[in-house]
Amino acid sequence: MILPIVKYGDPVLRQRGATVGKVTPELRQLARDMLDTMRKAEGVGLAAQQVGRALQLAVIDIPADSKRKSRLWLGGKEADVQSIMPLTLINPQIEITKKKELDNEGCLSFPGINIDLNRGFRVKVRYQDLDLIPREFEAGGLLGRAVQHEFDHLHGVLFIDKLSAADRGKLRDKIEAIRG
Ligand code: ZN
């Protein structure tokens, strides 16, 4: 089922997600609906807050034909990114490298806004899957960026928060137009 995507201005986007302690059939359905919703909107990641639910739950799916490069390491060995797609991340924790990388980023809660942002060059993720089995991987490129963006959402942090006041000022009219 396609769910309505919450836009900037809705207070749920500022809520920290509650820890998921149990995976109910309803939560499984929510994860499936979030993937459907994200794909329909042509996004690569979506956090529960973006469909109005403040939970530690996010989905990511990097299409196989993506023009932007992603990298994945499993157990320290480089692996095929598609081997773990689509991803459902429950209660994720991340460690970000000090080394940063500048690249362009959008957000389905900010239609029409793309900004250049520094993110960690590589990120280590520990999370639980839909059976609450602990898993981990390391990622870079678009996948690494998506993980960091979704992790922020789960803590009520939005990508515009990462901009300097001057850069945010330049985008103010566009951002306020989304708020409506
Ligand atoms: Zn977003």
Side-chain angles (χ1 to χ4, degrees):
M1 189 171 81
I2 306 297
L3 305 170
I5 296 179
V6 169
K7 301 298 185 301
Y8 177 63
D10 190 313
V12 72
L13 291 177
R14 289 301 185 185
Q15 284 179 37
R16 189 186 181 281
T19 301
V20 174
K22 202 171 131 197
V23 176
T24 59
E26 189 267 337
L27 192 105
R28 278 180 195 277
Q29 185 62 47
L30 175 63
R32 274 196 294 272
D33 289 345
M34 283 170 60
L35 275 168
D36 291 345
T37 302
M38 180 192 80
R39 288 173 178 142
K40 174 109 193 298
E42 297 181 353
V44 296
L46 193 71
Q49 279 84 342
Q50 293 180 280
V51 292
R53 302 286 300 274
L55 291 170
Q56 293 290 323
L57 167 70
V59 295
I60 291 176
D61 192 16
I62 307 289
D65 62 358
S66 172
K67 287 185 188 75
R68 291 171 66 176
K69 191 171 167 60
S70 290
R71 294 184 75 185
L72 171 72
W73 293 266
L74 292 170
K77 282 194 178 147
E78 187 139 26
D80 177 6
V81 171
Q82 292 307 313
S83 68
I84 58 162
M85 294 300 148
L87 271 168
T88 299
L89 304 176
I90 294 176
N91 305 323
Q93 296 294 325
I94 64 172
E95 283 171 48
I96 303 167
T97 54
K98 283 205 182 74
K99 187 178 170 187
K100 298 284 187 269
E101 186 174 50
L102 185 71
D103 208 342
N104 199 260
E105 204 168 306
C107 177
L108 293 177
S109 295
F110 291 80
I113 293 186
N114 283 280
I115 54 184
D116 286 329
L117 273 192
N118 269 312
R119 294 277 188 188
F121 183 70
R122 199 158 147 171
V123 60
K124 183 181 227 175
V125 196
R126 292 193 177 85
Y127 68 104
Q128 289 164 282
D129 66 13
L130 276 169
D131 296 311
L132 294 184
I133 294 169
R135 298 192 180 273
E136 63 176 76
F137 64 85
E138 285 180 79
L142 180 60
L143 175 58
R145 182 165 292 269
V147 165
Q148 293 172 68
H149 181 111
E150 300 316 323
F151 178 84
D152 282 349
H153 271 302
L154 300 185
H155 296 266
V157 175
L158 301 171
F159 74 157
I160 55 167
D161 302 345
K162 311 262 169 184
L163 289 171
S164 66
D167 284 344
R168 200 159 49 237
K170 282 181 216 154
L171 281 171
R172 197 177 57 202
D173 289 353
K174 277 176 99 174
I175 292 170
E176 289 308 312
I178 294 166
R179 192 198 286 273

